Amino acid sequence: MSAADNICEWRESPARMVWDLFGAIPDAWQADGLAAFARPDCQRLAFQACAGPGKTAELAWLGWNFLLTQGDRGEHP
């Protein structure tokens, strides 16, 4: 699979990017947040939970997904 194919797939499925790059399997609620991030109609996300469930990990994954998949050819952030 080419890098361009990976970028297209990761843009549509951030959970796949998490598995491919980090070897991690997101929890069910993390997978929901990652799927919401990929939807063009979802403009904001908010996380609220106790200490330790993986909020920071998900935010890091979302940051990596944005940096890797958004932008036109040659104009990635």
Side-chain angles (χ1 to χ4, degrees):
M1 183 177 281
S2 72
D5 292 336
N6 280 337
I7 290 171
C8 289
E9 184 175 349
W10 294 343
R11 182 178 293 153
E12 295 174 9
S13 176
R16 175 64 187 221
M17 182 212 71
V18 170
W19 172 253
D20 288 348
L21 294 181
F22 304 107
I25 300 172
D27 292 340
W29 72 269
Q30 288 175 320
D32 289 344
L34 291 166
F37 183 75
R39 289 194 334 249
D41 63 324
C42 183
Q43 295 185 6
R44 293 188 178 133
L45 293 173
F47 300 114
Q48 181 179 3
C50 61
K55 297 180 301 288
T56 304
E58 180 161 10
L59 289 173
W61 296 335
L62 293 174
W64 276 109
N65 184 271
F66 180 81
L67 289 172
L68 293 172
T69 65
Q70 302 304 312
D72 294 329
R73 177 174 278 208
E75 295 182 0
H76 289 282

